[in-house]
């Protein structure tokens, strides 16, 4: 059963129960109230008769004649019945011996009269009886006249009260059917309208479950369903971002595996191929030297690759010695080595360092600087220069390596920090590069709560800045 059908059915059942119970209670309360008023009226009439009889008792004592008493009582009863002839009242008077003195009943009196059991003088008992499809109210009392007990029974037909109750129930049934029909018709639209947003949520959830992570619920209501829809959209956004992030990581891992396999396979294939060539070919000095040079070159590439991988593995561990060092002093220590690297390519290294004491792992910072300068050298041509400078800006210490090389195109800008990614593969491999330098730099920067910013224009040069923020969050990369 669908949710709107449950709302429709249960609300209808609740309406029927409450409406019928309330209506029955109103009808019964009204009937009981009218019946109580009728009983009080009948009891008042009975007391009125009793008072009339008591008023003539002194006269009856004077005559003290049974026949006279019967005549007087019969006269009073006839007069009373005549006065109330249009109200369906009955009167019965009996004496001690249960002899009938007066009666105008047109129905058979019951043989057993519970209201007369243990009836005392000055006491009135009443009872309702169903006789011949009529409901009769019996009220009885005793009057003592000249030491004789006369039983006065005043009766009234209250069948119209019960008939009126039946009429009210008949009217209620018609109203109940009409109200139920209108309620069913209204609730059909109300229940479907209330559950419409839930159906939208359900359809959206199905689309997302089938891979449509960009699907959103379009609800503008401010009630609980609207809040649920907004929370659902927020959750879907988080799921979509997480899925995209996982896909990006998976693609990076797959590229890493492909690039690593390729970088490992290429030199090994060359080494094995040239080794087999030299082993199976007749000795020729020139070919022999060419082959050995290629084997040596490919061996150096493997060595460089293994060292870079070792650096990356080392950076995954947490054993770093953070101490306060002056960045300018660290650069000064490695400046001769940098100049030696640049000298081979006839590139000038220029340093402009501002004093900056930071919490550093000096060895890791040296690795970072060597890799940045190494990349700058690979991108530079002869007679160009590389600027290495440090300075403070807005409370942050910035290390910049600026070259005048070939630059980085926009298509490579978001991938250059991925391991084994090479924007210019031919140039990088010619220098025994493996595309791991910037990955190592990013790891070192992250360890030091620093971020790396890259600014580059093709054929105009590249500026790589490492921004140290000692109180900021753990760093990352901006490009």
């Amino acid at each position: 059963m669908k949710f709107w059908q449950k709302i429709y059915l249960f609300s209808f059942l609740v309406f029927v129960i409450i409406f019928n119970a309330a209506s029955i209670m109103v009808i019964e309360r009204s009937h009981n109230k009218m019946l109580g008023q009728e009983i009080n009226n009948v009891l008042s009439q009975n007391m009125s008769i009793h008072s009339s009889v008591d008023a003539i008792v002194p006269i009856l004592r004077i005559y003290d004649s049974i026949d006279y008493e019967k005549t007087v009582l019969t006269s009073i009863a006839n007069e009373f019945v005549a006065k109330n002839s249009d109200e369906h009242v009955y009167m019965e008077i009996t004496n001690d011996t249960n002899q009938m003195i007066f009666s105008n009943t047109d129905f058979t009196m019951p043989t057993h009269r519970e209201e007369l059991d243990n009836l005392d003088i000055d006491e009135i008992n009443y009872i309702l009886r169903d006789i011949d499809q009529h409901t009769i109210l019996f009220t009885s009392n005793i009057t003592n006249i000249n030491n004789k007990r006369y039983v006065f029974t005043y009766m009234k037909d209250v069948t119209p009260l019960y008939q009126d109750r039946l009429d009210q129930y008949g009217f209620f049934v018609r109203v109940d059917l009409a109200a139920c029909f209108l309620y069913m018709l209204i609730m059909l639209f109300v229940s479907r309208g209330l559950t419409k947003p839930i159906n939208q949520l359900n359809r959206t959830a199905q689309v997302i479950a089938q891979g449509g992570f960009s699907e959103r619920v379009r609800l503008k209501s401010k009630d609980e369903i609207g809040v649920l829809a907004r929370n659902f959209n927020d959750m879907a956004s988080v799921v979509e971002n997480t899925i995209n992030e996982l896909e990006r990581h998976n693609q990076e891992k797959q590229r890493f595996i492909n690039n690593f396999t390729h970088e490992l396979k290429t030199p090994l294939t060359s080494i094995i191929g040239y080794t087999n060539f030299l082993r199976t070919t007749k000795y020729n000095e020139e070919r022999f030297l060419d082959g050995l040079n290629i084997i040596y070159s490919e061996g150096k590439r493997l060595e460089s690759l293994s060292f870079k991988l070792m650096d990356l593995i080392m950076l995954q561990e947490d054993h770093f010695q953070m101490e306060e060092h002056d960045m300018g002093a660290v650069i000064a220590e490695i400046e001769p080595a940098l100049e030696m690297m640049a000298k081979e390519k006839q590139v000038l290294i220029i340093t402009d360092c501002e004093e900056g004491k930071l919490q550093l792992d000096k060895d890791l910072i040296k690795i970072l600087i060597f890799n940045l300068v190494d990349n700058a050298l690979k991108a530079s041509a002869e007679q160009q220069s590389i600027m290495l400078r440090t300075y403070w800006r807005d409370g942050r210490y910035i290390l910049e390596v600026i070259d005048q090389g070939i630059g980085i195109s926009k298509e490579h800008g978001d991938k250059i920090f991925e391991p084994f990614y090479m924007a210019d593969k031919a140039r990088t491999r010619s220098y025994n590069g493996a595309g791991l330098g910037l990955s190592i730099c990013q790891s070192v920067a992250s360890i030091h709560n620093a971020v790396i910013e890259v600014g580059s224009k093709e054929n105009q040069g590249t500026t790589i800045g490492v921004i140290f923020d000692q109180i900021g969050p753990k760093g990352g990369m901006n490009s």
Side-chain angles (χ1 to χ4, degrees):
M1 182 180 291
K2 294 184 177 179
F3 186 58
W4 75 267
Q5 293 173 334
K6 291 181 180 179
I7 294 176
Y8 180 69
L9 178 61
F10 286 113
S11 64
F12 176 69
L13 291 177
V14 170
F15 168 77
V16 169
I17 293 172
I18 293 177
F19 181 72
N20 283 269
S23 300
I24 291 173
M25 288 175 64
V26 170
I27 293 174
E28 288 298 321
R29 186 177 182 276
S30 175
H31 170 74
N32 291 333
K33 186 176 181 180
M34 294 179 65
L35 182 60
Q37 291 176 349
E38 192 64 32
I39 290 173
N40 289 332
N41 290 335
V42 172
L43 290 175
S44 296
Q45 293 289 351
N46 191 309
M47 292 180 66
S48 175
I49 296 171
H50 185 70
S51 299
S52 299
V53 173
D54 286 343
I56 64 171
V57 166
I59 300 174
L60 295 175
R61 285 176 182 169
I62 296 173
Y63 293 97
D64 192 14
S65 168
I66 295 176
D67 291 337
Y68 183 71
E69 291 173 1
K70 290 182 179 179
T71 300
V72 171
L73 293 177
T74 301
S75 176
I76 293 174
N78 280 324
E79 182 181 356
F80 189 83
V81 169
K83 187 188 298 183
N84 300 282
S85 60
D86 57 341
E87 296 183 2
H88 302 288
V89 296
Y90 305 96
M91 174 69 77
E92 181 191 73
I93 303 174
T94 59
N95 60 12
D96 290 343
T97 58
N98 203 26
Q99 183 180 2
M100 185 69 66
I101 303 300
F102 176 85
S103 177
N104 68 331
T105 58
D106 55 0
F107 52 84
T108 302
M109 292 293 285
T111 55
H112 181 66
R113 304 279 298 277
E114 294 91 341
E115 72 274 16
L116 301 180
D117 295 341
N118 301 320
L119 181 62
D120 294 329
I121 295 176
D122 299 329
E123 184 181 34
I124 299 176
N125 287 347
Y126 72 90
I127 189 170
L128 287 166
R129 286 193 178 90
D130 292 327
I131 299 175
D132 298 337
Q133 298 180 351
H134 289 268
T135 301
I136 309 296
L137 174 61
F138 287 73
T139 63
S140 300
N141 68 335
I142 296 175
T143 299
N144 193 344
I145 302 175
N146 296 329
N147 296 320
K148 293 184 285 295
R149 295 164 60 92
Y150 290 91
V151 177
F152 287 76
T153 302
Y154 179 73
M155 295 158 283
K156 185 171 183 180
D157 187 353
V158 294
T159 303
L161 291 179
Y162 288 89
Q163 184 60 45
D164 183 62
R165 184 174 68 169
L166 288 177
D167 293 341
Q168 290 188 39
Y169 273 113
F171 176 74
F172 162 70
V173 170
R174 293 191 293 275
V175 172
D176 188 39
L177 291 175
C180 288
F181 175 75
L182 286 176
Y183 187 86
M184 292 172 65
L185 186 62
I186 294 172
M187 279 306 299
L188 177 64
F189 294 102
V190 171
S191 58
R192 292 182 71 90
L194 288 175
T195 56
K196 188 176 179 180
I198 298 177
N199 293 332
Q200 291 185 23
L201 279 169
N202 186 39
R203 286 194 295 270
T204 304
Q206 289 178 345
V207 173
I208 293 175
Q210 293 172 357
F213 299 107
S214 60
E215 185 72 11
R216 296 292 182 271
V217 183
R218 293 174 178 79
L219 288 177
K220 297 181 179 179
S221 62
K222 297 181 180 179
D223 56 10
E224 289 84 351
I225 299 295
V227 173
L228 176 62
R230 287 192 290 276
N231 292 335
F232 181 87
N233 287 338
D234 293 340
M235 181 190 70
S237 297
V238 173
V239 171
E240 182 182 13
N241 293 335
T242 303
I243 294 296
N244 291 338
E245 189 69 15
L246 289 174
E247 289 181 352
R248 189 177 67 80
H249 281 303
N250 286 335
Q251 291 174 358
E252 289 179 359
K253 287 181 180 178
Q254 189 60 46
R255 281 199 297 268
F256 177 87
I257 293 171
N258 294 340
N259 293 333
F260 176 73
T261 303
H262 179 76
E263 293 302 319
L264 195 63
K265 183 179 179 181
T266 301
L268 283 176
T269 302
S270 298
I271 292 173
I272 293 172
Y274 274 96
T275 304
N276 185 55
F277 173 76
L278 296 176
R279 186 172 62 87
T280 58
T281 305
K282 187 177 179 180
Y283 176 76
N284 180 289
E285 184 176 2
E286 183 178 356
R287 292 180 180 176
F288 184 78
L289 290 175
D290 290 341
L292 287 180
N293 287 332
I294 292 173
I295 292 172
Y296 175 78
S297 175
E298 297 299 332
K300 293 295 288 182
R301 283 184 59 191
L302 284 176
E303 182 187 43
S304 176
L305 176 63
S306 64
F307 287 157
K308 297 288 186 182
L309 286 174
M310 288 178 64
D311 288 341
L312 271 180
I313 294 171
M314 180 190 70
L315 293 174
Q316 303 304 316
E317 301 176 355
D318 294 330
H319 307 296
F320 307 111
Q321 297 295 325
M322 292 292 184
E323 297 177 352
E324 187 175 83
H325 295 283
D326 179 13
M327 182 68 80
V330 175
I331 293 175
E333 287 183 23
I334 62 175
E335 187 173 359
L338 297 176
E339 290 175 347
M340 185 66 69
M341 291 168 54
K343 187 177 181 180
E344 297 178 1
K345 202 171 179 181
Q346 300 182 17
V347 174
L348 179 62
I349 298 291
I350 302 172
T351 58
D352 179 13
C353 298
E354 185 176 335
E355 182 180 357
K357 293 185 177 179
L358 304 170
Q359 290 293 325
L360 306 173
D361 184 310
K362 191 164 67 173
D363 293 334
L364 293 182
I365 291 298
K366 288 180 179 178
I367 292 174
L368 181 144
I369 296 173
F370 270 117
N371 279 286
L372 291 179
V373 173
D374 185 53
N375 282 343
L377 286 171
K378 291 172 182 173
S380 299
E382 293 182 357
Q383 309 305 322
Q384 289 184 337
S385 63
I386 296 173
M387 169 70 77
L388 186 62
R389 68 174 182 175
T390 61
Y391 58 92
W392 288 96
R393 185 181 67 188
D394 299 331
R396 296 179 177 181
Y397 193 75
I398 301 173
L399 165 66
E400 285 184 345
V401 178
I402 307 167
D403 66 57
Q404 302 170 328
I406 59 174
I408 303 171
S409 63
K410 291 183 179 178
E411 61 179 309
H412 301 297
D414 58 342
K415 300 183 182 69
I416 58 175
F417 289 92
E418 293 182 14
F420 295 109
Y421 189 85
M422 290 174 278
D424 187 342
K425 295 183 179 180
R427 182 184 291 269
T428 303
R429 284 174 181 156
S430 67
Y431 292 101
N432 291 331
L436 294 172
L438 285 177
S439 297
I440 295 171
C441 292
Q442 186 185 37
S443 298
V444 173
S446 179
I447 292 169
H448 289 81
N449 295 322
V451 294
I452 298 178
E453 292 184 348
V454 180
S456 182
K457 290 184 179 179
E458 287 190 84
N459 302 318
Q460 295 185 24
T462 301
T463 299
I464 296 183
V466 185
I467 304 170
F468 292 87
D469 186 357
Q470 298 291 358
I471 60 174
K474 194 167 184 178
M477 176 276 291
N478 291 330
S479 61

